Amino acid sequence: AKKYIQEAITYQEANQQDSGLCTSYLSMGNVYLRMKDTLNAVKFYQKSIVSSKKVGNNISLSSALNNLGSIKSEQQKSAEALALFQKSKTLRDSLNFNKDETILSLSIAKEHIMYQRFAQANAVLYQLKKEYEKDPTAQGNLLQTYQYFIHTYGYLKKSDSVNYYNN
């Protein structure tokens, strides 16, 4: 995949196809992230951000910001991660992408859990639970939400049962 995406990037750069570069840079960042090469992933996410801003591609911009936020979260740079997640969420809100927004909210909840901000995580998870219960195609995300609830309720010393979560 890396070879073909690089060929696309080379062609798009040579022919000044800025609109295509947004997603090509984003895809290359994803390839590097899967390869565990965060330095190159960050480099391509930043290129995607610049290119997306240039052409006004808020979908790619939001994705690049979210992915960069995930890297910052893994690097334990919580303030940077949350700022990037918030920028991504603001863009998603303006585009009315409910499914993407809920996935982003799961990232935010995970960030809160990682830094032991369990009450904040709980608030985000409760909103997600309501959204996922409305969508029969979101059962996998609902399950992940319940798994995160187990962490938060365990640390908040509240009872650990699905009946409790359904209140």
Side-chain angles (χ1 to χ4, degrees), residues 2 24 46 58-59 67 86 96-97 112 147 149-150:
K2 181 179 161 191
S24 294
Q46 288 172 334
N58 286 338
I59 296 169
N67 294 354
Q86 188 57 49
N96 291 323
F97 279 180
H112 285 313
Q147 290 169 337
F149 268 131
I150 292 168

Side-chain angles (χ1 to χ4, degrees), residues 14-148:
N15 293 290
Q16 298 177 344
Q17 294 180 348
D18 293 325
S19 61
L21 282 169
C22 303
T23 54
S24 294
Y25 288 146
L26 181 63
S27 296
M28 187 62 90
N30 291 339
V31 167
Y32 278 114
L33 188 60
R34 283 188 201 102
M35 294 169 54
K36 308 274 191 240
D37 183 348
T38 55
L39 292 177
N40 277 314
V42 166
K43 179 176 105 176
F44 279 95
Y45 289 146
Q46 288 172 334
K47 285 184 171 195
S48 180
I49 290 167
V50 169
S51 184
S52 297
K53 285 179 179 178
K54 182 177 179 181
V55 298
N57 184 337
N58 286 338
I59 296 169
S60 290
L61 179 56
S62 178
S63 294
L65 290 168
N66 184 59
N67 294 354
L68 195 54
S70 294
I71 291 172
K72 296 298 181 183
S73 175
E74 289 296 318
Q75 294 173 338
Q76 300 184 353
K77 296 178 180 177
S78 182
E80 289 178 62
L82 286 172
L84 290 163
F85 288 145
Q86 188 57 49
K87 287 179 186 176
S88 178
K89 184 179 182 328
T90 300
L91 285 168
R92 298 285 168 141
D93 288 347
S94 73
L95 298 169
N96 291 323
F97 279 180
N98 289 337
K99 285 191 178 191
D100 288 338
E101 178 183 334
T102 57
I103 291 168
L104 175 62
S105 292
L106 270 175
S107 296
I108 292 170
K110 181 181 173 186
E111 179 73 11
H112 285 313
I113 291 168
M114 196 161 83
Y115 289 97
Q116 300 182 356
R117 296 185 297 256
F118 300 110
Q120 293 98 321
N122 233 22
V124 172
L125 291 170
Y126 186 71
Q127 290 301 318
L128 285 172
K129 179 178 128 346
K130 288 199 278 187
E131 289 297 317
Y132 290 145
E133 288 175 336
K134 295 178 201 171
D135 183 359
T137 66
Q139 294 304 303
N141 290 337
L142 182 59
L143 175 63
Q144 189 172 12
T145 301
Y146 280 124
Q147 290 169 337
Y148 286 160

